[in-house]
């Protein structure tokens, strides 16, 4: 489920839909996140990620297209899946430069917690660690 980009909205309340552009024989080439509006009225926003590495049931790495709505540069998202007793350990790491680093760190911390909670609710387990540096 985590490795299928199109399923992200199932466990991330902030996402409306994900468009995935495949690369023949290599898996996803990019994905476009369509976020829900931040307020009850208004428009959502769009964010594009370019997939640099993808291996089914192992993980993926992507970089944000620049410029982007988050103000990120030199970004890297790295998600890995490792078998664990009774399930899977999901590690989701974000690396980036940002014009407002403190705001982005807080936003990513909250977003990743909001992603982890529905996954734990659906599959069981626990959030082992949240670390913002």
């Amino acid at each position: 489920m985590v490795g299928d980009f199109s399923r992200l909205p199932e466990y991330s309340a902030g996402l409306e839909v994900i468009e995935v552009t495949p690369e023949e024989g290599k898996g996803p080439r990019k994905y476009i996140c369509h976020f829900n509006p931040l307020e009850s009225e208004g428009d959502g926003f769009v964010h594009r990620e370019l997939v640099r590495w993808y291996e089914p049931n192992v993980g993926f790495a992507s970089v944000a297209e620049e410029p982007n709505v988050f103000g990120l540069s030199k970004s890297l998202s790295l998600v890995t899946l490792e078998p664990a007793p009774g399930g899977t350990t999901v590690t989701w790491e974000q690396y980036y430069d940002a014009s407002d680093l403190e705001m982005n760190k807080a936003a990513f911390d909250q977003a990743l917690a909001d992603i982890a909670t529905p996954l734990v609710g659906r599959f069981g387990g626990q959030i082992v660690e949240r670390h913002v540096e």
Side-chain angles (χ1 to χ4, degrees), residues 20-74:
V20 181
T21 303
E23 186 169 357
E24 192 172 325
K26 295 184 179 182
R29 183 173 56 89
K30 73 177 176 180
Y31 60 100
I32 303 171
C33 302
H34 294 266
F35 286 87
N36 293 314
L38 295 175
E39 300 173 11
S40 60
E41 294 184 25
D43 295 329
F45 55 96
V46 174
H47 176 73
R48 291 171 176 79
E49 290 276 329
L50 305 171
V51 178
R52 297 298 188 217
W53 168 73
Y54 173 79
E55 190 170 335
N57 302 316
V58 175
F60 65 89
S62 64
V63 298
E65 247 182 19
E66 296 180 28
N68 56 70
V69 296
F70 298 112
L72 304 178
S73 61
K74 301 181 211 163

Side-chain angles (χ1 to χ4, degrees), residues 7-22:
R7 296 188 69 184
L8 259 160
E10 292 180 41
Y11 55 91
S12 177
L15 289 167
E16 181 179 359
V17 70
I18 302 280
E19 292 177 59
V20 181
T21 303

Side-chain angles (χ1 to χ4, degrees), residues 14 29 51 66 69 76-77 81 108 112 121 123 125-126:
R29 183 173 56 89
V51 178
E66 296 180 28
V69 296
L76 173 66
S77 295
L81 310 168
F108 270 119
L112 293 176
F123 298 107
Q126 64 184 341

Side-chain angles (χ1 to χ4, degrees), residues 4 7 11 25 69 77 90 103 114 117 122 129 133:
D4 181 349
R7 296 188 69 184
Y11 55 91
V69 296
S77 295
V90 178
M103 189 259 328
D114 289 345
T117 301
R122 182 170 179 171
E129 178 182 8
E133 185 176 309

